[in-house]
Amino acid sequence: MSAVIEIKNLGKKYTISPNMQTDQAHHYLSLRESITNSVRGLFGFQNAHEPSLPDTDFWALRHIDLTVEQGDRVGIIGSNGAGKSTLLKMISRITYPTEGEIRYKGRIASLLEVGTGFHPELTGRENIYLIGAILGMSHAEIRRKFDEIVDFAGIEKFLDTPVKRYSSGMYTRLAFSVAAHLESEILIVDEVLAVGDTEFQKKCLGKMEEIGQKEGKTLLFVSHNMDSVLQLTNKVLFLDKGKAVSYGVTDGVVNTYLEKSLVVESRFVRPQKLETSHFQEVEITTSQKGNYHIHGQPFALTTKVCLSEKVEKLGVSFQIANYNGKNINYCWFFDDSQEYEPGTYEFTCHIPSLRLMMGKYYFKMHLANVKTKEKLDFVEHVCPFEVGMDTFHEWTWHSNVAVYLDDFSWSKNDL
C-alpha cells in the first residue's frame, strides 16, 4: 500500500504570556480599559502594579513522525493536553505547523467539532452543498450522495430549517453524516461519539467501520473510549505531553497507554478543590492488600461528593471497566427522596460477592443531576485493582491460561 499521509518532524509552538494569566485575562475589558491599555502600550508605559513578564514558548507537539497508508484506520489516544486535537487540526489544515511538514494524497473530510464549517443562517440542505463545495466536490457529486446523507442523519423534516435552530443532537447527526458520506479519501473524526444518543453512537461506529474496512478509506480517529478504538482501528498513535510514545498495532499500543495511565492506588483524591459539583474522593476496599481481590469475596467502594449547588434528584454511579476500556459492570444510586443542599456527602456501594473474571480493572465514576439530565462530573482510570483466586495449590495463576474460573467439584469412582 502507498502512504496517504506522511508527517516528518512535526511541531507546533504557542507563545504564552504570563501577563494574561491573571483573573483579569478571563473577563472582557471595558472600552475605557481597552483604550487605556492600548495607549500605555503605544508609549511603552506599564502599570506599576502589574510588571511585565517575559513571554514563554509552549510546544503542544514536537518531533512527530508518522506514516499512514491507504486504508489504515488509525486511533490517536492520550490524556487531555497530549496534543491529539492539535495534530488533527494541522492535518486538516486548520492551523499550520511551526516546524516540520505534512504531505497528503487525496481529499480530507474533517469532523473536529460538532457543526465544523456549518453556516448557522443556512438550512441543512444548503449546508450539505456548502461543505461539499469546500471539500472540492462538484454539484453533481454532492447530489448523488444527498439522499444517503439525509437518510443517515434522520433530519428530513428539518432539512429546510436554518441549522442555528437545530438541537445539538441534530447538529451532530448532520455533521457526521456529511463528513462520512461525501467522497473523500481521508476521514478525520475527533470525539464525535462523545455527543449524541447511544443509538446514534452505534450508527456512527458502524459507518466508520464500513468506511475503513469495506470502502478502503483512511480513517484518523481520536477517542478516550478504548473499546471504540479497539473495534475500529488497526493502528494506534499514543501521544503524551506533545510527544509520540508509541505507534503500532492497536492492541499493544492500547495496553501501553492503559498501563501508563492507571495509577495503582486504592484511593483517588482530587488534587485541589473545584468550584463545581464533583467527586472529592473515591476509595475501594478489596479483600486483600495491594488492590488485590479474591474472586467471590465482598467488595466496597466509597466516594465523597462535593455539591456546589442544590440538586433535587442526585445520581451517583460507576462502571467497572477492564484494561481495554470495555465496561464490565454498572452500579448506580439515584435518589429523589430528598433535596441535596450544597455540601459534602459520602456514599458507599457494597457488593456482597464480586464475581468478576480474573484480570485487571478500574473505575469510571459518574455524577449527575438526574432531574435535569445534567452531567456534573466524570472521572475515569481511578482505583485500579486485580481479581484473582484464593489458592491454586501447586498451580501458579497465569493470565494466558484463562480469564475466568467458576466453582467446580470432582467425583471419583474406583473401578
Side-chain angles (χ1 to χ4, degrees):
M1 291 194 179
S2 60
V4 294
I5 300 175
E6 287 186 280
I7 296 174
K8 294 183 179 178
N9 196 36
L10 191 69
K12 181 64 178 178
K13 180 177 69 176
Y14 293 98
T15 300
I16 301 174
S17 174
N19 304 302
M20 294 302 292
Q21 293 180 357
T22 64
D23 290 339
Q24 190 179 24
H26 299 291
H27 71 265
Y28 292 103
L29 298 178
S30 67
L31 177 61
R32 183 176 66 180
E33 290 173 322
S34 299
I35 294 173
T36 302
N37 291 342
S38 297
V39 172
R40 281 176 175 163
L42 182 64
F43 292 99
F45 297 130
Q46 295 292 336
N47 190 322
H49 300 291
E50 297 176 6
S52 178
L53 297 174
D55 293 342
T56 57
D57 292 334
F58 167 70
W59 286 91
L61 280 173
R62 201 165 198 193
H63 305 313
I64 302 297
D65 294 293
L66 179 67
T67 299
V68 180
E69 297 183 340
Q70 181 180 352
D72 274 349
R73 306 178 308 281
V74 179
I76 302 175
I77 62 176
S79 58
N80 292 332
K84 304 184 298 297
S85 295
T86 300
L87 177 60
L88 293 194
K89 286 178 181 177
M90 286 193 285
I91 295 175
S92 303
R93 291 167 288 190
I94 293 173
T95 186
Y96 292 93
T98 306
E99 62 183 21
E101 61 178 345
I102 307 174
R103 294 180 179 177
Y104 318 83
K105 288 182 183 178
R107 289 187 292 205
I108 297 176
S110 298
L111 184 55
L112 303 186
E113 294 177 2
V114 177
T116 299
F118 279 13
H119 193 297
E121 299 295 335
L122 298 181
T123 65
R125 182 190 304 275
E126 292 166 336
N127 269 292
I128 292 173
Y129 281 94
L130 172 66
I131 300 300
I134 291 173
L135 289 174
M137 296 178 65
S138 68
H139 193 84
E141 286 178 304
I142 302 169
R143 190 168 60 246
R144 188 166 62 249
K145 290 282 186 176
F146 187 86
D147 289 342
E148 290 180 49
I149 293 170
V150 175
D151 181 63
F152 188 93
I155 59 157
E156 297 90 341
K157 294 181 180 179
F158 306 97
L159 194 56
D160 294 304
T161 300
V163 297
K164 68 180 181 181
R165 298 200 180 101
Y166 282 15
S167 67
S168 60
M170 293 165 62
Y171 235 98
T172 303
R173 293 198 297 273
L174 182 58
F176 180 86
S177 186
V178 170
H181 286 84
L182 292 181
E183 295 177 3
S184 59
E185 287 73 32
I186 303 167
L187 176 62
I188 298 176
V189 181
D190 186 359
E191 289 290 13
V192 68
L193 299 181
V195 271
D197 56 73
T198 304
E199 287 303 314
F200 183 70
Q201 289 177 14
K202 291 179 181 178
K203 200 173 181 180
C204 288
L205 283 170
K207 183 60 181 177
M208 286 196 289
E209 200 167 13
E210 178 185 327
I211 287 169
Q213 297 181 3
K214 295 182 181 179
E215 298 179 15
K217 292 183 181 180
T218 302
L219 172 68
L220 270 64
F221 175 49
V222 163
S223 179
H224 287 95
N225 187 326
M226 292 304 106
D227 203 26
S228 298
V229 171
L230 288 164
Q231 177 181 338
L232 285 175
T233 67
N234 65 318
K235 294 180 181 178
V236 168
L237 172 66
F238 172 20
L239 296 175
D240 183 41
K241 298 178 182 178
K243 302 285 182 66
V245 177
S246 58
Y247 177 59
V249 178
T250 296
D251 287 352
V253 179
V254 166
N255 285 335
T256 299
Y257 165 68
L258 291 172
E259 291 284 353
K260 184 177 177 65
S261 300
L262 293 173
V263 179
V264 183
E265 294 180 352
S266 59
R267 186 166 174 252
F268 162 82
V269 181
R270 268 272 162 66
Q272 61 183 8
K273 180 174 172 59
L274 305 178
E275 299 304 319
T276 57
S277 298
H278 65 282
F279 289 107
Q280 198 171 57
E281 295 181 13
V282 182
E283 186 172 10
I284 59 172
T285 304
T286 53
S287 63
Q288 306 289 317
K289 294 181 179 180
N291 289 23
Y292 190 81
H293 188 76
I294 301 301
H295 170 89
Q297 294 294 309
F299 184 95
L301 177 144
T302 299
T303 180
K304 287 184 180 179
V305 172
C306 178
L307 299 180
S308 60
E309 57 187 14
K310 184 169 68 174
V311 178
E312 292 186 34
K313 187 175 182 179
L314 184 67
V316 179
S317 61
F318 63 81
Q319 290 156 315
I320 301 177
N322 66 14
Y323 261 41
N324 287 334
K326 184 176 181 61
N327 298 327
I328 305 298
N329 198 358
Y330 178 53
C331 296
W332 63 92
F333 171 83
F334 297 152
D335 188 9
D336 57 359
S337 63
Q338 70 173 90
E339 291 185 351
Y340 285 81
E341 298 292 336
T344 302
Y345 300 86
E346 183 176 273
F347 302 92
T348 299
C349 178
H350 302 276
I351 303 177
S353 176
L354 186 65
R355 299 180 58 82
L356 288 174
M357 294 181 180
M358 290 178 286
K360 296 180 179 180
Y361 302 88
Y362 66 88
F363 287 87
K364 301 177 181 180
M365 304 293 302
H366 304 264
L367 182 66
N369 184 329
V370 180
K371 182 176 182 180
T372 62
K373 297 182 179 180
E374 179 187 1
K375 295 179 181 179
L376 302 177
D377 195 15
F378 170 70
V379 290
E380 63 176 338
H381 294 160
V382 298
C383 300
F385 67 103
E386 184 173 0
V387 175
M389 301 305 294
D390 190 6
T391 177
F392 290 97
H393 302 287
E394 73 282 357
W395 178 54
T396 303
W397 161 253
H398 295 289
S399 60
N400 62 331
V401 174
V403 293
Y404 178 67
L405 185 65
D406 209 342
D407 295 334
F408 62 89
S409 62
W410 295 82
S411 64
K412 183 182 72 170
N413 294 318
D414 292 332
L415 299 178

